[in-house]
Amino acid sequence: MAATQENIKKKMNTEIELFVINKVKEYRIAAKLSKRKLSLELRLNHNYVSRTENPNLDTKYNLNHLNELAKIFNCTIADFMPTPYVKQDTIEEYLEIHPKQKARNEKMMKDYEEKGRVKREAKEKAAAKTKKK
């Protein structure tokens, strides 16, 4: 039971994702559209918007959704974005929320650094050989 409660409390969206979700919600409420109606307007599952607005779930709008939402609400995609940007490091925030992605990213960086080290050592060896001649 404790693990389930821990998962519920876990942050599921980054600050920018929450901003977009809340901005779409503002437009939806102003247009007096139900979550179900907006989901259907987007040609998505009838409870997609409801799942997106639930802070305990990680459902998000993608760029295609935002484009269609801009058409529905007669606004621009930019109207759903913060101006000029979110100050928080949202990449780091995303990696904290998604530990598997963070582990893959860390492994990739380690491999990249190792490859660079091997390449530098090979160049140094080649330069040392050239110098001896």
Side-chain angles (χ1 to χ4, degrees):
M1 178 101 177
T4 305
Q5 287 177 341
E6 183 179 317
N7 289 341
I8 290 172
K9 291 179 184 177
K10 182 182 175 197
K11 188 175 179 182
M12 301 300 286
N13 295 298
T14 64
E15 186 176 338
I16 193 164
E17 291 165 342
L18 288 172
F19 183 94
V20 170
I21 291 166
N22 289 328
K23 189 56 78 169
V24 171
K25 183 178 179 179
E26 283 177 30
Y27 275 82
R28 179 184 65 75
I29 290 169
K32 297 182 179 167
L33 280 174
S34 68
K35 296 173 189 175
R36 180 183 180 95
K37 175 73 174 158
L38 184 55
S39 294
L40 297 174
E41 288 278 332
L42 292 169
R43 298 178 301 276
L44 297 168
N45 185 293
H46 67 90
N47 65 354
Y48 188 88
V49 172
S50 183
R51 289 192 333 258
T52 302
E53 291 182 9
N54 183 335
N56 298 324
L57 301 176
D58 66 351
T59 308
K60 300 167 189 54
Y61 296 113
N62 66 32
L63 292 174
N64 298 307
H65 298 148
L66 294 179
N67 188 62
E68 292 306 308
L69 287 162
K71 290 177 191 177
I72 291 167
F73 296 127
N74 195 29
C75 64
T76 69
I77 294 172
D79 290 331
F80 301 119
M81 300 293 167
T83 305
Y85 50 80
V86 171
K87 290 181 181 176
Q88 185 166 336
D89 182 343
T90 55
I91 300 296
E92 186 61 35
E93 186 180 18
Y94 178 86
L95 293 173
E96 290 301 321
I97 293 170
H98 303 281
K100 287 181 183 177
Q101 183 65 38
K102 183 176 184 176
R104 281 194 297 268
N105 188 4
E106 287 171 351
K107 182 184 181 320
M108 178 192 68
M109 292 303 291
K110 184 179 174 188
D111 291 348
Y112 179 77
E113 289 169 1
E114 178 64 18
K115 187 177 177 182
R117 185 188 62 75
V118 169
K119 202 173 185 178
R120 279 191 309 278
E121 287 175 358
K123 279 185 179 180
E124 289 170 3
K125 272 187 180 180
K129 279 185 181 180
T130 305
K131 200 175 190 182
K132 283 184 180 180
K133 290 181 179 180

